[in-house]
Amino acid sequence: MKLELHKIMVKRLVWGEATTVRDGVLYVNKQELISLISEDELLGKVDVDLAMPGESVRIIPVKDVVEPRWKIHGKGQVFPGLVSDVETVGSGRTLVLSGAAVVTAGKIVRFQEGIIDMSGPGAAYTPFSETCNVVLLLEPAKDGMDKHDYETACRTAGLKAAAYLARCCKSVKADKIVAYNHADIKNAMWGHPGLPKVGYIYMLQTQGLLHDTYLYGVDVKKILPTLISPLEVMDGAIVSGNCVSACDKNSTYSHQNNPVIEEMFKRHGRDFNFVGIIATNENVTLADKKRSSSYAVNLAHMLGLDGVIITEEGFGNPDADLIMNCWKAEQLGIKTALLTDEYAGQDGASQSLADSCPEGDACVTAGNANEVIVLPPMNKVIGVVEEANVIAGGWNGSLAADGGITVELQAITGSTSELGYTKLGAYTI
């Protein structure tokens, strides 16, 4: 498989008569975009706003972030099974509006949504303070609407908007083309003799109650762990539909730009053979956790993997899935490296994870989500600022009279991403 990402670099957003890109500026036809989103009868009031890096702007409450993309050549189309036909992706040429993002916001679906500050101390904790954000302000068609229906409408709106923006730019010449190749399993394992065979166990949030993730449009809680190509992930096969805490919610954007996959590609053929990805779920019952962890590790064993990287999404209950995957793999002689975050209390003195095991001795942290931060007032708020008093990481009284907000990092979108898609981190060479 070969995937080319044709990247158009977006440095600024402007309203325009036609949606297109010229000289690094993404012009957006506001009314055309609103009309497209308003086609969904589940949505009531719909609006669109723009937010640029460095501006005194706060977006709250944030549901998802999506990178605008459109398939310009090859099989399948973006976000398969949700806004396009169910066809395998991961090959051909995909247009990317790099530096731009669609942010879904507006009336809250569930309290586990987040904040993006485009400047100030909060901006230092979210990667989406550095993207040019097209913000969709969404409200349900009626009060009392089923939250699952409202979440579906918000998720679909974000995906449709992202596809629309990129599709309108499909004739624009890319500024940069990045090509990725991933061989079949046999060649991936043995293409570089003598190097260890390494895979990636990709844990996806699937606890239900609006804690959901979709693979080719299928709710991942309904599947057994499955083997997929990293190029499928990079090409939009995985979409977020969950309302877990904003700090470690894997947004659709972070799935599209998963840094673990990116780094494993860089080291393939140099330090190890990157064999592939085992996508697995995070269930609620003990029986489901046992089933999925055993099946995921068995797949790794059948592939003859020497090591696996395991990433988590969420905290608490999913910690049990993380540790089951870890010690079952280690028992079969498969070395593990874990990527998680911590909920160690506001003073950092509490137990970081809900579960652990002696075998989990190679663990990378993305930070303590309970750390408290004070966000100063912004000149402009896109959304509903009063939700600061109810979102996860906030509390009644988080919102000050002057518009400032005191919250835990838990409330800041992507601040402790367990994919490593965060501004807190370090590289070793």
Side-chain angles (χ1 to χ4, degrees), residues 316 319-324 327 351-357:
D319 293 345
D321 303 82
L322 177 72
I323 298 306
M324 281 188 185
W327 66 259
Q351 179 176 316
S352 295
L353 299 176
D355 198 5
S356 64
C357 66

Side-chain angles (χ1 to χ4, degrees), residues 126-177:
T126 174
F128 305 114
S129 63
E130 298 181 347
T131 50
C132 301
N133 297 322
V134 179
V135 186
L136 308 184
L137 292 162
L138 308 169
E139 293 186 14
K142 59 182 180 181
D143 292 335
M145 175 183 287
D146 180 84
K147 290 185 180 295
H148 291 84
D149 290 339
Y150 181 32
E151 185 281 321
T152 298
C154 293
R155 170 165 34 94
T156 303
L159 300 177
K160 288 173 64 176
Y164 158 81
L165 293 172
R167 174 172 53 82
C168 290
C169 304
K170 63 182 180 181
S171 61
V172 178
K173 185 179 179 181
D175 298 303
K176 180 181 181 181
I177 299 175

Side-chain angles (χ1 to χ4, degrees), residues 51-71:
M52 294 290 298
E55 293 182 337
S56 181
V57 173
R58 171 166 297 141
I59 310 170
I60 178 174
V62 173
K63 307 171 198 326
D64 194 16
V65 186
V66 188
E67 185 171 56
R69 295 190 177 192
W70 185 257
K71 180 73 68 177

Side-chain angles (χ1 to χ4, degrees), residues 264-342:
M264 292 184 79
F265 265 125
K266 289 179 181 178
R267 298 179 66 175
H268 174 64
R270 186 184 74 185
D271 299 315
F272 50 71
N273 287 318
F274 181 18
V275 176
I277 294 175
I278 298 168
T280 188
N281 41 32
E282 299 173 351
N283 286 303
V284 177
T285 69
L286 181 59
D288 285 331
K289 291 177 184 295
K290 288 180 176 179
R291 180 184 299 110
S292 290
S293 58
S294 293
Y295 201 91
V297 170
N298 188 51
L299 281 176
H301 187 56
M302 290 171 64
L303 292 170
L305 298 184
D306 299 297
V308 290
I309 294 174
I310 309 175
T311 61
E312 182 180 11
E313 182 174 15
F315 69 100
N317 188 293
D319 293 345
D321 303 82
L322 177 72
I323 298 306
M324 281 188 185
N325 286 321
C326 171
W327 66 259
K328 287 182 180 180
E330 292 277 355
Q331 285 180 334
L332 292 175
I334 303 171
K335 297 298 182 182
T336 62
L338 313 182
L339 180 53
T340 182
D341 64 353
E342 304 175 55

Side-chain angles (χ1 to χ4, degrees), residues 254 257-264 417 419-422 427:
S254 57
N257 297 277
N258 185 318
V260 174
I261 295 173
E262 183 75 29
E263 290 299 315
M264 292 184 79
S417 165
L419 297 180
Y421 199 81
T422 174
Y427 284 96

Side-chain angles (χ1 to χ4, degrees), residues 342-353 368 370-371:
E342 304 175 55
Y343 284 75
Q346 294 184 357
D347 61 358
S350 299
Q351 179 176 316
S352 295
L353 299 176
N368 177 21
N370 293 135
E371 181 182 337

